[in-house]
Amino acid sequence: MLISKKVQEMQPSGIRAFFDLVLGMKDVISLGVGEPDFVTPWAIREAGISSLEQGLTSYTSNKGLYKLRLSVSRYLKNRFGVEYCPDEEILITVGVSEAMDLCLRTIINTNDKILIPSPCYVSYGPLTALAGGLPVYIDTQKDGFKLTPKNLEKHIDNKVKGIIFNYPCNPTGVSYSRKELSEINKILSKHKIICLSDEIYGDLTYDFEHVAFPSLTGAKERTVYFNGFSKSYAMTGWRVGYVCGPKDIIAGMTKIHQYTIMCVSITSQMAACEALHSGKKSVDEMKREYRRRREFIIDGLNDIGLTCHKPQGAFYAFPSIKKTGLNSLDFAQKLLQEEKVAVVPGTAFGDDFKDYIRISYASSMDNLKEALVRINNFISKRKR
Ligand code: PLP
């Protein structure tokens, strides 16, 4: 057989599959792909351009430029009080995407279980399976999409090696207080479970300060912390992120990274240095705008009858479409055909979420206003 069993069994991303449809259509308002509608702030772009002008076109150290690792280390110390050694505990990667793949391949032995609270980001399950592990989804629906200590305990047995914990969460926007995180940490600690903490939206938390998982008492030695530049600095196309964790895990990940990737593009790394150096003001401005849009879209969705909890971070709304009687795939397909608004079916984030859709509010206020009118038309037509 030409294609391996593992790859044959893998489903293509429900987001991408849907958006191939959108590409061929005109005048669509796309609230689909999870990508900032801002361009990378100018100072960061300029740092990339300047690095090219200086002729910086070589490979870097496999782990990434030392000065970027040092900047990451300082940022995490200043922001969360967590100390990571730039030499041994930090690796610069091609986004969180690469880092997650490396980490799963580094820690998983065949048939180890990895817990994944769901709905969840599309890559976690397939990457776990590709690394030989067994994804175990924890449905969080009945608890307002929050992982509770009780629900977590229920899924733990001696085969569980790790958990992929993402907050603020894509697709629900749910986040956690220090107290809630501490309770989860206690359980993980008791069962010696590694926490793969995907905090890529950590800078986009609206109602309270984001708490980094490794900053919790005793958590750092069992936590792998993932972050990157894609979302908060509007740098998706630069493909740069970082991962911090215990030195043995980082060393294992670096081995795979050096054979597969070698290093992240030096231009992107130079731009990322500038992001950490001067980008905070731009991040705060973009965050203010997302927050304004959040108020608008959540109120608007609830007003037209699509019940939606208020997301605490990221830039997604995850409303229930149950009242319409349509399942999420039908809803998304018909909405696209009839009203030219693209949203993602909830089932892209887990089989159990056919009563939901994901709407990204990383789109202009004008787009959001028009999209709400169109969604309202779509629902009203069905009530008649
Ligand atoms: N993790 C989450 C939760 C995401 O939503 C995304 C992108 O949508 C990623 C990781 C991938 O990010 P990156 O661009 O850093 O690879």
Side-chain angles (χ1 to χ4, degrees):
M1 214 184 296
L2 201 59
I3 307 299
S4 76
K5 218 168 145 257
K6 271 189 196 153
V7 173
Q8 282 192 37
E9 281 164 4
M10 188 185 266
Q11 295 300 315
S13 155
I15 301 183
R16 286 284 151 199
F18 196 73
F19 279 86
D20 286 347
L21 266 178
V22 177
L23 281 179
M25 293 178 69
K26 269 194 175 160
D27 303 326
V28 174
I29 299 181
S30 178
L31 307 181
V33 187
E35 170 154 60
D37 59 320
F38 299 104
V39 209
T40 307
W42 173 244
I44 302 174
R45 281 185 275 157
E46 203 173 31
I49 295 166
S50 158
S51 78
L52 289 170
E53 280 173 350
Q54 290 167 55
L56 297 180
T57 56
S58 59
Y59 292 131
T60 69
S61 142
N62 290 137
K63 291 178 190 167
L65 287 172
Y66 182 77
K67 75 170 187 173
L68 179 54
R69 285 180 277 137
L70 189 62
S71 300
V72 166
S73 163
R74 287 186 177 146
Y75 163 77
L76 294 174
K77 176 147 191 255
N78 292 339
R79 173 108 203 263
F80 303 115
V82 196
E83 294 198 41
Y84 283 107
C85 161
D87 280 316
E88 294 186 308
E89 295 177 321
I90 300 177
L91 175 65
I92 307 300
T93 55
V94 181
V96 168
S97 304
E98 188 217 350
M100 188 57 72
D101 179 37
L102 294 179
C103 185
L104 290 165
R105 286 200 270 165
T106 298
I107 64 168
I108 287 175
N109 284 310
T110 308
N111 292 339
D112 281 343
K113 287 185 183 172
I114 300 292
L115 302 179
I116 309 178
S118 66
C120 65
Y121 180 54
V122 292
S123 79
Y124 300 155
L127 290 183
T128 300
L130 203 57
L134 301 173
V136 177
Y137 295 101
I138 306 180
D139 188 345
T140 60
Q141 212 168 157
K142 64 171 186 6
D143 300 308
F145 299 118
K146 266 202 177 175
L147 178 66
T148 62
K150 198 167 153 210
N151 202 5
L152 173 62
E153 283 272 20
K154 250 181 21 204
H155 290 82
I156 295 177
D157 62 29
N158 60 11
K159 287 221 149 137
V160 173
K161 179 89 182 247
I163 178 168
I164 306 180
F165 194 40
N166 166 224
Y167 65 97
C169 171
N170 175 4
T172 63
V174 159
S175 200
Y176 296 80
S177 67
R178 181 176 288 278
K179 185 168 172 283
E180 289 166 329
L181 292 172
S182 299
E183 283 169 9
I184 288 168
N185 182 39
K186 265 192 219 139
I187 298 170
L188 298 182
S189 177
K190 183 169 92 188
H191 296 280
K192 298 191 173 53
I193 292 172
I194 304 172
C195 182
L196 284 68
S197 194
D198 181 347
E199 302 184 31
I200 192 165
Y201 297 101
D203 275 338
L204 300 176
T205 303
Y206 306 114
D207 302 322
F208 47 83
E209 272 300 305
H210 180 80
V211 178
F213 206 88
S215 72
L216 302 168
T217 314
K220 190 175 164 240
E221 66 208 38
R222 277 175 306 93
T223 300
V224 184
Y225 170 87
F226 300 78
N227 201 346
F229 299 86
S230 291
K231 311 292 177 173
S232 39
Y233 297 92
M235 289 178 69
T236 47
W238 297 80
R239 308 308 303 126
V240 54
Y242 55 90
V243 52
C244 311
K247 68 176 195 238
D248 292 348
I249 296 184
I250 296 296
M253 292 171 64
T254 307
K255 277 201 266 181
I256 311 176
H257 172 83
Q258 75 188 0
Y259 290 125
T260 51
I261 302 290
M262 306 257 281
C263 67
V264 172
S265 134
I266 190 169
T267 320
S268 300
Q269 294 193 55
M270 292 299 286
C273 284
E274 184 59 33
L276 287 175
H277 175 66
S278 71
K280 185 170 180 318
K281 195 164 160 266
S282 305
V283 173
D284 289 345
E285 277 165 18
M286 291 188 272
K287 180 171 149 176
R288 261 198 301 280
E289 179 58 20
Y290 291 136
R291 192 187 172 135
R292 197 168 78 92
R293 295 174 190 175
R294 173 187 72 154
E295 308 302 323
F296 173 77
I297 196 81
I298 302 305
D299 288 350
L301 287 168
N302 282 309
D303 284 349
I304 64 174
L306 298 188
T307 338
C308 187
H309 71 275
K310 194 167 190 172
Q312 293 145 329
F315 36 61
Y316 307 107
F318 201 60
S320 167
I321 51 153
K322 196 166 182 180
K323 277 189 196 148
T324 66
L326 294 171
N327 72 42
S328 69
L329 192 61
D330 280 348
F331 185 101
Q333 276 170 350
K334 290 192 162 84
L335 180 67
L336 182 60
Q337 281 153 7
E338 293 174 27
E339 298 290 340
K340 298 204 171 161
V341 177
V343 298
V344 183
T347 44
F349 308 96
D351 293 341
D352 296 325
F353 307 103
K354 65 173 175 33
D355 291 335
Y356 299 89
I357 52 166
R358 189 193 76 173
I359 289 179
S360 163
Y361 52 90
S363 188
S364 71
M365 207 56 164
D366 285 347
N367 275 351
L368 294 178
K369 282 182 185 156
E370 175 61 21
L372 266 186
V373 171
R374 295 189 193 182
I375 297 174
N376 194 23
N377 282 344
F378 178 77
I379 303 172
S380 307
K381 267 191 278 178
R382 281 166 173 78
K383 279 189 196 146
R384 280 182 220 136

